[in-house]
Amino acid sequence: MRKKLLLFGGTFNPVHNGHRFILKTVQDFLNPDKTIIIPTNMTANKDNSHNALPMDRFNMCTLAFGDLDNTIVSDIEISRPGVSYTVDTLFKIKSLYPDFDLYFIVGADMFMNFCSWKNPQKILEYASLCVLLRENISYDLLSSQKLHLENLFNYAKIILIDSPTVDVSSTMIRNLIKNQGDVDGLLYPGVKDYIKLHNLYL
């Protein structure tokens, strides 16, 4: 039986307890042999002006996920200049881990716009999609999109995973820090200390 490699990409600006909760939910469902966290360098079609430096986001991810078994943080995207495209990252990781089947975590909002991504057909060749259900998008709508993609690309493998909504976002946390609000319980303790030490998001 081939091994499972779970991939979790994102800006992580900053990484928060919601990200950790999402990852644990998918790990419990999928039971992967290995997990790689991938902070992006720059995200396509997104305002990157509020991002902390890539290495700061990499370091915060290491603090947030470093205690999880068989889980590592990769600089595969932040070491590559310019916009981070999922298809390029998956191609590289597939070559590095030929004995693993790849599983890539995708949020419901992003999944609904999947056909606008760069080379969606190649992404579906390289990896199975693990789509997290969200209250703001109905299960029927996500199921319809899943069926559409599976009909469009007959090799597509898409898994819908039920995940309770986490009422926290990186934007919320940045605003709280900027306005000296309370972020206790929203950030992994080491991440909170790192942000304070390096004066991030002020």
Side-chain angles (χ1 to χ4, degrees):
M1 182 180 295
R2 287 173 60 81
K3 293 181 284 189
K4 299 177 184 175
L5 175 56
L6 178 62
L7 307 172
F8 187 20
T11 311
F12 301 118
N13 186 47
V15 60
H16 52 69
N17 286 345
H19 292 128
R20 189 177 160 99
F21 181 81
I22 286 168
L23 180 64
K24 286 292 294 173
T25 297
V26 180
Q27 285 180 327
D28 289 345
F29 180 91
L30 193 65
N31 193 27
D33 298 280
K34 188 179 185 69
T35 299
I36 301 180
I37 311 297
I38 308 170
T40 61
N41 184 34
M42 296 174 61
T43 304
N45 303 318
K46 188 174 181 179
D47 180 8
N48 293 275
S49 62
H50 300 294
N51 289 0
L53 292 174
M55 190 49 66
D56 284 323
R57 292 184 285 110
F58 175 90
N59 291 337
M60 287 188 283
C61 283
T62 301
L63 291 167
F65 300 114
D67 65 317
L68 300 179
D69 291 341
N70 303 312
T71 300
I72 63 170
V73 181
S74 170
D75 66 353
I76 190 170
E77 289 196 352
I78 67 172
S79 63
R80 189 171 65 225
V83 173
S84 303
Y85 289 108
T86 297
V87 66
D88 300 329
T89 301
L90 293 180
F91 176 78
K92 179 66 174 176
I93 290 178
K94 198 164 184 65
S95 68
L96 294 173
Y97 296 91
D99 298 330
F100 286 77
D101 288 330
L102 307 188
Y103 295 79
F104 184 71
I105 296 176
V106 180
D109 297 338
M110 292 161 48
F111 178 63
M112 293 306 299
N113 296 311
F114 181 74
C115 286
S116 69
W117 292 25
K118 180 182 177 182
N119 292 342
Q121 72 281 4
K122 281 294 182 184
I123 292 174
L124 291 168
E125 279 184 33
Y126 298 151
S128 301
L129 301 186
C130 297
V131 182
L132 293 163
L133 303 183
R134 290 283 299 274
E135 289 180 358
N136 63 323
I137 300 179
S138 73
Y139 178 82
D140 288 345
L141 198 58
L142 289 169
S143 295
S144 177
Q145 173 73 335
K146 173 178 166 9
L147 184 61
H148 169 68
L149 291 172
E150 288 173 340
N151 287 334
L152 200 58
F153 310 106
N154 60 10
Y155 48 82
K157 294 178 182 176
I158 300 166
I159 306 166
L160 302 182
I161 300 176
D162 191 15
S163 175
T165 299
V166 181
D167 190 21
V168 58
S169 72
S170 294
T171 301
M172 175 202 305
I173 291 170
R174 291 197 305 272
N175 288 334
L176 282 169
I177 293 171
K178 184 177 181 179
N179 295 292
Q180 299 181 325
D182 183 13
V183 294
D184 284 346
L186 302 178
L187 298 171
Y188 207 60
V191 174
K192 179 183 176 183
D193 294 340
Y194 186 95
I195 289 171
K196 184 176 181 180
L197 179 65
H198 295 273
N199 297 312
L200 301 180
Y201 308 119
L202 297 177

